[in-house]
Amino acid sequence: MLFYNIVSIYAFFIFVSRQRGPSGAQSPNLAMNIIGAEDEDFENDKQPMVDDQCSHFNSIELLKSRPTHLLVFIHHVMLQFDCAPVLCYLHADLFKNFNAKDTKKHFGEFYNTFLEKGAVYRMRPEMISEDQQKRYVHEIQFMQSTEILRQLDDFRQKRMMGMTPNERELNDVESHRPTDRIPMEMKEKAVAESLLEKMVESKDCNHHYLNNFVLQCLTRMYPFSIFSIHLSHSSEGGLLPDSLVTGPDFGPFPQQEEMEPRLLELEQDPPNWRGLASHEDLKKLNKKEIKRQEVINELFTTEHAHVRMLSVLQTVFSRPLEKEEIMSITELATIFPNLDEIIEMHYAFYENLKKLRQEDEYIVKIISTPLLNRFSGSEGEWFQKLTARFCSHQSWALEQIKSKQKKDARFNAFILEAESKPQCRRLQLKDIIPIEMQRLTKYPLLLENIAKNTDDETEKENINQAAESCRKILNHVNEEVKLMENLLVRIHRRMLFEGPLTWRVTKEKAIDVHCILLSDLLVLVQKQDDKMVLKCQSKSNIAVQEGKQMLSPIIKLESVFLRDVATDPKALYVIFTWDSGAQIYELVAQTLGEKKK
């Protein structure tokens, strides 16, 4: 099958597949790329652009300050090319105004979103200095310039031919005369907000409208207030694999320390607090305080166990699967999204608890500080974001693993061998993947029990505040999980057929295509080199020259009816009608059985 998993197909239509890297080069880890609809005959008929109304589209720097123009351009790129370069460029642009703290915070996200795990894959991003991080981002941004200039040139050419989207909105802005009551900035933001709303809410799959996935990227990557107002309606955990490129080689970055000492520590269960605290101090504790210390100890030991099992996902499954080339980085990112970051986040929390126990000689006095630091404020938001992304992929990951074990003998053998290792403690992979979600449900209960046995009112209030933050995080993650599960249900409900067909454009022109049939849409994609492409077809060169309607590879089924072809029992006519006329597609199935489907 050309499309070997259902989500990658759905991402093609709904999430605007971005499998090419921002630089425009093909990622070596991807089997194929899908590019937007673009007829080859137009490329040989480009004319110089002289229209002054498109001056804003001469450079990305001019577009950055024009929200409506920027949105229209991104929409065009999504329809015609790959939107990763422009999104990468805008995200990188933010680093110019970041201080050291913000640079360190955002570099990891930028790296994981856009860059291939090449030169710095085995390093922790936070170990790279801020200057090196900014220099790296600047180099990546510069590498996108050529592709963006090509896309801008294409936009100007297509706009001259009336082939770009949202022309009415552009004219509305460009014809506006600023007044004191409605200055140009206010007008632009109002039109852009309306345009974004339409693009987000549209269900017309003939156009790859801006959806939650790209909206979230825009919201994070470019600080227009009009984008951020929609963020609350987005699914932060719904991100599918991002486009990847190989970054520039900056030479010897600091190498990550070996993990063996950490793993050895995690493999050993920590001793109970009673055996570590002094006998004299233990005798001073009342029953309530002993109960409090028991719950704190439970928080510590269960966090230790959680980090250990997360490390098992990383060292026993994820990294060997990549190293042995059983799964690509892109496939692994859908099953173990942000796993490295989640491990580091939980390990840092574990280390803080361990340090506190040691400083207090294993009878902890103030526990609220590390709790608030972990679950509240900016760190709490980052925790929520990473866990939502990981947990929302849980159902998809389990389904993918089950399916791949049935179809891929090598993958199945690897999983069975890995699950037999002592690190897994007789657990299967399907039992380990849900542990992050399970851990989130335990935090509020543990913190509430600590607070219940705490006498100091200030400390008790702070612990309860941390518990409330945990509940909010859990509620958010639950919502993200539901959204993704509903999305998966929608995917399986819409997918009706997928397979090869022949598209007879004329008697002399027959094209092998791959058909994807959804409940309301028929899509015909062609294989071109190692890519799958959408390409309009014309029945004659005259039709192209005269600008007549061409045959689109995307057909809405609501206005379609079928007729058999008398001369070929495996063929059928798909007749697509609309107000101004009709188009007839002649499609030939491989077998009579496939035709009946």
Side-chain angles (χ1 to χ4, degrees), residues 333-392:
T334 65
I335 296 177
F336 308 112
N338 304 103
L339 178 59
D340 292 351
E341 291 90 344
I342 285 178
I343 291 175
E344 291 304 312
M345 183 174 60
H346 281 284
Y347 185 75
F349 182 45
Y350 162 74
E351 282 289 302
N352 287 336
L353 293 176
K354 183 173 73 171
K355 181 180 178 182
L356 181 63
R357 279 169 33 113
Q358 293 170 344
E359 290 175 348
D360 287 352
E361 297 181 340
Y362 304 99
I363 298 178
V364 177
K365 300 175 181 65
I366 304 296
I367 187 70
S368 61
T369 301
L371 298 180
L372 289 172
N373 289 342
R374 175 68 283 157
F375 301 114
S376 302
S378 59
E379 288 300 313
E381 291 175 0
W382 182 241
F383 181 86
Q384 174 178 288
K385 180 178 181 179
L386 289 181
T387 53
R389 192 174 296 174
F390 186 88
C391 294
S392 65

Side-chain angles (χ1 to χ4, degrees), residues 397-500:
L398 294 173
E399 185 177 323
Q400 268 296 90
I401 291 167
K402 183 178 179 181
S403 174
K404 196 169 180 68
Q405 279 191 273
K406 291 180 180 179
K407 298 177 181 178
D408 189 332
R410 187 181 175 212
F411 176 81
N412 183 53
F414 172 89
I415 295 298
L416 292 176
E417 181 184 356
E419 290 174 342
S420 68
K421 293 183 177 180
Q423 297 97 308
C424 293
R425 303 198 177 190
R426 299 184 180 179
L427 293 175
Q428 295 179 320
L429 178 57
K430 66 180 179 66
D431 304 315
I432 304 175
I433 284 179
I435 63 172
E436 181 67 13
M437 190 70 201
Q438 295 165 359
R439 184 60 179 162
L440 293 180
T441 64
K442 293 178 180 178
Y443 283 132
L445 299 175
L446 288 168
L447 269 56
E448 287 169 3
N449 281 334
I450 296 174
K452 186 167 63 175
N453 291 283
T454 299
D455 290 328
D456 184 274
E457 289 301 321
T458 302
E459 174 73 352
K460 187 172 188 174
E461 182 180 347
N462 289 337
I463 297 172
N464 280 325
Q465 181 182 340
E468 180 61 26
S469 296
C470 286
R471 282 190 290 271
K472 289 180 180 178
I473 291 172
L474 179 60
N475 290 338
H476 175 81
V477 173
N478 277 328
E479 288 301 314
E480 297 300 314
V481 171
K482 289 177 185 177
L483 284 172
M484 181 58 75
E485 288 176 348
N486 290 338
L487 175 61
L488 290 175
V489 170
R490 184 181 174 191
I491 291 171
H492 293 297
R493 184 181 299 146
R494 291 173 62 88
M495 187 69 179
L496 301 178
F497 173 77
E498 179 221 349

Side-chain angles (χ1 to χ4, degrees), residues 503-504 524 539 550-555 572-576 583-587:
W503 181 4
R504 287 180 184 159
L524 305 172
K539 293 194 173 184
M550 303 181 67
L551 295 174
S552 170
I554 304 175
I555 308 167
L572 55 84
Y573 291 119
V574 178
I575 304 171
F576 175 50
Q583 288 180 331
I584 300 177
Y585 297 73
E586 185 177 349
L587 304 178

Side-chain angles (χ1 to χ4, degrees), residues 536-586:
C536 296
Q537 299 295 331
S538 58
K539 293 194 173 184
S540 68
N541 291 329
I542 298 176
V544 177
Q545 295 169 2
E546 294 182 355
K548 292 183 178 179
Q549 184 70 38
M550 303 181 67
L551 295 174
S552 170
I554 304 175
I555 308 167
K556 292 183 68 174
L557 300 182
E558 62 184 20
S559 54
V560 160
F561 60 93
L562 308 178
R563 291 288 184 269
D564 289 330
V565 177
T567 57
D568 188 343
K570 292 187 293 185
L572 55 84
Y573 291 119
V574 178
I575 304 171
F576 175 50
T577 63
W578 70 99
D579 293 341
S580 58
Q583 288 180 331
I584 300 177
Y585 297 73
E586 185 177 349

